[in-house]
Amino acid sequence: MSNRADQPCFVLDQQAVSFEEGETLLAAANRAGHHIPHLCWHPRLGQSGACRLCTVKVDGRLVAACTTRATPDAQVENRSAELDGKRRMLLQMLFVEGNHFCPGCEKSGDCLLQATAYEMGMTGPKFEEFYPLRPVDASHPDMWLELNRCILCKLCVRASHEVDGKDVFAIGGHGVGVQLLVNSASGKLGDSSFSAGDFAASVCPVGAILPKRRGFAVPIGERRFDRAPISEQGEQRDGGSDDDGD
Ligand code: SF4
Ligand code: FES
């Protein structure tokens, strides 16, 4: 991408990236086609800083790229062996904290967690698996809620609040008991105001919120991240998860 002469730039891994006033490092890098690993960021939603996958070094200091404003001439280190190693550790913790069985998951090949793990060179879980007991909520006529795969990124929480204006989801609990909650009298998705047309229905980066009666529409091996690694794909997402860039 060419940078306009009158626009301020920061330097991301030796490459100049222009930015608009108030833009974050991650938003500007994404717009310019650079990949900063992330799980809880979406260009349509407000900042969260939940996953820390986007941690970069700015002038030697560790910061979250999704919550840090770009400043002129800042030197930003992104894809170094040290930072990717920290990211790999975070991913390994996420994988053992939930139940992620990629070969049996409809999201395989379209999953941001899986694609990012491949990108970071993660080859195994490293830590002992928790194998938590989590329910599958099949109460909604059109959507599944598979909490075994939830990584607590809060994208659905923010999408429902900011875009859908519904507040269907929240995060509750403490410590290892933290989980995604559904805002209905029974706590079931089917008793909430959630609808398959909601933005929150398409924003999940993993296979925790999926439509019913749709499986293998695109065969395994031909899905987005099967075709090319995440770092080689433009990520200028503006909508849902599968085909438009999550
Ligand atoms: Fe994130 Fe999906 Fe869990 Fe919602 S259900 S918090 S979008 S992983
Ligand atoms: Fe920045 Fe998750 S993408 S903390």
Side-chain angles (χ1 to χ4, degrees), residues 39-40 100 134 144-147 149-159 169-171 179-181 200 202-210 246:
L39 292 174
C40 74
H100 300 279
R134 294 191 190 158
W144 298 100
L145 181 57
E146 226 297 20
L147 291 179
R149 301 169 182 159
C150 177
I151 56 170
L152 299 170
C153 70
K154 303 185 197 164
L155 281 173
C156 60
V157 178
R158 285 176 281 149
F169 299 104
I171 303 286
Q179 61 174 326
L180 186 71
L181 302 174
S202 65
V203 81
C204 183
V206 296
I209 301 177
L210 285 173
D246 200 0

Side-chain angles (χ1 to χ4, degrees), residues 26 38-41 49-54 66:
L26 182 39
H38 60 269
L39 292 174
C40 74
W41 175 82
C51 75
R52 314 315 280 187
L53 255 289
C54 70
C66 69

Side-chain angles (χ1 to χ4, degrees), residues 99-233:
N99 293 307
H100 300 279
F101 306 112
C102 299
C105 180
E106 165 58 21
K107 192 81 172 182
S108 184
D110 281 325
C111 173
L112 198 60
L113 179 70
Q114 183 193 47
T116 306
Y118 279 131
E119 180 69 30
M120 293 302 119
M122 184 183 142
T123 53
K126 186 176 169 98
F127 305 110
E128 195 174 340
E129 284 96 342
F130 286 20
Y131 294 130
L133 275 177
R134 294 191 190 158
V136 177
D137 182 345
S139 61
H140 194 280
D142 301 316
M143 302 295 298
W144 298 100
L145 181 57
E146 226 297 20
L147 291 179
N148 289 289
R149 301 169 182 159
C150 177
I151 56 170
L152 299 170
C153 70
K154 303 185 197 164
L155 281 173
C156 60
V157 178
R158 285 176 281 149
S160 185
H161 176 73
E162 296 173 25
V163 180
D164 304 326
K166 288 188 176 179
D167 288 318
V168 168
F169 299 104
I171 303 286
H174 300 283
V176 291
V178 171
Q179 61 174 326
L180 186 71
L181 302 174
V182 173
N183 181 13
S184 71
S186 64
K188 296 288 187 191
L189 198 60
D191 294 329
S192 75
S193 59
F194 193 57
S195 139
D198 289 357
F199 183 51
S202 65
V203 81
C204 183
V206 296
I209 301 177
L210 285 173
K212 288 185 172 178
R213 298 177 296 281
R214 198 180 82 195
F216 302 97
V218 178
I220 297 276
E222 296 175 21
R223 299 175 175 191
R224 181 183 173 205
F225 300 123
D226 295 329
R227 296 193 298 267
I230 189 169
S231 59
E232 293 177 15
Q233 303 190 22

